[in-house]
Amino acid sequence: MKKNKGKAKQSAALKEQAATAAPSTPQEWGYEEMLTELEAIVSDAEQRLEHEEL
């Protein structure tokens, strides 16, 4: 169940953008942004599982 790791890099950019936004400003996420974040979460989880199996 390997996915393209390039999406995780996009996630880092989104996280950086969110970090620079004012805390009181609600962030609106579209379908593509949510999908990208979920793919990054799955990718991180897969990497953690691989390290645990070693």
Side-chain angles (χ1 to χ4, degrees):
M1 189 171 164
K2 299 288 180 187
K3 295 283 182 175
N4 185 358
K5 302 294 181 184
K7 299 263 182 178
K9 292 178 184 175
Q10 289 178 335
S11 175
L14 288 174
K15 288 178 184 175
E16 182 178 326
Q17 183 181 19
T20 59
S24 62
T25 305
Q27 184 168 354
E28 294 184 23
W29 292 65
Y31 176 79
E32 289 297 321
E33 290 86 3
M34 290 294 283
L35 182 60
T36 299
E37 281 298 307
L38 288 171
E39 288 175 338
I41 290 167
V42 169
S43 175
D44 290 343
E46 287 176 341
Q47 290 176 2
R48 276 185 255 131
L49 285 173
E50 287 176 8
H51 289 292
E52 288 177 5
E53 291 175 356
L54 296 177

